[in-house]
Amino acid sequence: QVKYSAVSFGPFGTEFTLRAGDESVKIRTSLLGRHIPSLVSLCAAVSLELGVSLKDIAVAVEDLPQVEHRLQLIKNGDVTVIDDAYNSNTQGAKNALEVLREFDGTRIIITPGLVELGEEEENANYDLGRSVTGCADYAYFVGARAQTLKNGAIDSGMDENKVFVCGSLAEAVEKSGAIGGKKTVLFENDLPDNL
């Protein structure tokens, strides 16, 4: 039976301990997310059945390439970007915020919120705004859903002086760029407002 424990996230990606029987290895992958350890565990169970050693599995996992725009880590000096631009679902957004919460330095989210949810859209974006509190130090909400997102963030206790409504992605990037020092910026969803 394959199990995992001690999961952590950071600029290195995702790290955890993988255990199979009496053996264990430390796994580190550039892939990010709460779902990564369970996916790796499933693949490890199959690989072990095929005769691959736990050590070789750890090496292979370390070499897994990131998926563009899906919790993709991009580092540039003191700035780490988590590019989750292709995500547009509620669970994925909460997963991304959970990852952001674990990073050191100033944590920033830039998002237009969630789209194409029909009559659930407003509530989903309000809830997303609430979820930002405690995970991000600054929030830049963009476009048509920005006020709903902001209301959720402020209603859950986020400092109103650190929550911004922006008319465009360019405006949000410019404003957030004024924050100096070590920082992590999560770009959560980039779907246009006209969907």
Side-chain angles (χ1 to χ4, degrees):
Q1 186 176 13
V2 177
K3 297 179 180 182
Y4 65 88
S5 61
V7 179
S8 62
F9 309 111
F12 51 82
T14 301
E15 189 174 83
F16 58 98
T17 300
L18 185 67
R19 178 173 296 286
D22 294 335
E23 280 187 89
S24 69
V25 292
K26 184 72 97 182
I27 299 286
R28 181 178 269 196
T29 176
S30 61
L31 301 175
L32 279 170
R34 177 63 57 196
H35 59 293
I36 297 300
S38 62
L39 292 174
V40 169
S41 296
L42 177 62
C43 293
V46 172
S47 298
L48 288 166
E49 284 294 317
L50 295 173
V52 179
S53 74
L54 203 56
K55 182 179 177 185
D56 286 343
I57 291 169
V59 170
V61 171
E62 189 171 327
D63 290 338
L64 289 173
Q66 293 186 59
V67 179
E68 285 188 11
H69 312 297
R70 297 284 188 174
L71 291 174
Q72 179 184 7
L73 273 174
I74 303 166
K75 298 175 199 164
N76 184 10
D78 282 343
V79 179
T80 300
V81 170
I82 303 172
D83 179 355
D84 201 31
Y86 284 1
N87 176 41
S88 63
N89 69 77
T90 55
Q91 190 56 49
K94 287 181 181 177
N95 183 27
L97 285 167
E98 179 182 7
V99 167
L100 179 64
R101 182 179 62 224
E102 299 301 317
F103 276 70
D104 294 330
T106 302
R107 300 160 303 166
I108 299 165
I109 183 171
I110 297 174
T111 184
L114 304 167
V115 300
E116 292 189 319
L117 297 177
E119 59 189 41
E120 296 298 317
E121 188 172 288
E122 187 168 354
N123 287 338
N125 281 299
Y126 179 82
D127 289 344
L128 176 58
R130 290 181 63 81
S131 297
V132 166
T133 304
C135 296
D137 302 303
Y138 291 88
Y140 296 85
F141 299 129
V142 180
R145 293 154 200 84
Q147 191 59 52
T148 300
L149 290 157
K150 180 179 180 177
N151 292 344
I154 291 170
D155 288 351
S156 65
M158 193 160 180
D159 181 349
E160 190 169 357
N161 296 314
K162 295 183 176 185
V163 180
F164 304 91
V165 170
C166 300
S168 68
L169 175 61
E171 179 187 349
V173 169
E174 182 181 341
K175 285 183 175 182
S176 67
I179 298 170
K182 183 178 179 181
K183 61 185 173 183
T184 302
V185 182
L186 168 62
F187 287 91
E188 183 61 30
N189 188 3
D190 70 352
L191 293 175
D193 282 333
N194 60 357
L195 286 176

